[in-house]
Amino acid sequence: MEYDDKMKNRLKRIEGQIKGILRMMDDNKDCKEVITQLSASRSAIDRTIGVIVSSNLIECIQQMDESDPRTQEDIVKEAVELLVKSR
């Protein structure tokens, strides 16, 4: 699978968020503020996982050929399992 610039940029933004959280901790910011930012980072990671899994799912189904023993249903189940494991 090829990871496009949009996916990589999402991760770079998350990286910036994490660095910001570390600065907040160094500055002894309020616990609620830190938790809010951690929660936002986790949500961003979850969305990125969804984007990657869905892109991979589309790619796998489009590239299926007769030699692949999996069905489309199998591929969708694999994608769902990846999403469930990520939580």
Side-chain angles (χ1 to χ4, degrees):
M1 174 171 173
E2 289 197 29
Y3 301 97
D4 63 23
D5 288 339
K6 286 183 181 180
M7 290 179 198
K8 292 175 187 175
N9 287 336
R10 282 175 176 265
L11 289 174
K12 289 176 185 175
R13 280 194 302 274
I14 294 166
E15 179 183 31
Q17 283 180 304
I18 299 298
K19 287 179 180 178
I21 294 167
L22 287 169
R23 281 191 302 274
M24 290 173 73
M25 290 175 159
D26 288 340
D27 295 341
N28 295 317
K29 293 290 184 182
D30 183 65
C31 155
K32 290 178 186 177
E33 293 177 48
V34 172
I35 297 301
T36 298
Q37 291 305 311
L38 284 168
S39 184
S41 296
R42 181 173 51 195
S43 294
I45 289 170
D46 288 343
R47 286 191 305 274
T48 303
I49 289 169
V51 167
I52 291 172
V53 170
S54 66
S55 295
N56 186 51
L57 173 62
I58 291 166
E59 189 176 306
C60 286
I61 288 177
Q62 288 175 341
Q63 293 179 357
M64 278 185 76
D65 60 20
E66 293 172 13
S67 65
D68 194 334
R70 301 176 301 170
T71 64
Q72 286 184 357
E73 185 177 330
D74 293 334
I75 293 171
V76 171
K77 284 181 183 177
E78 287 176 27
V80 170
E81 286 174 15
L82 278 174
L83 289 172
V84 170
K85 282 182 187 178
S86 72
R87 287 302 300 161

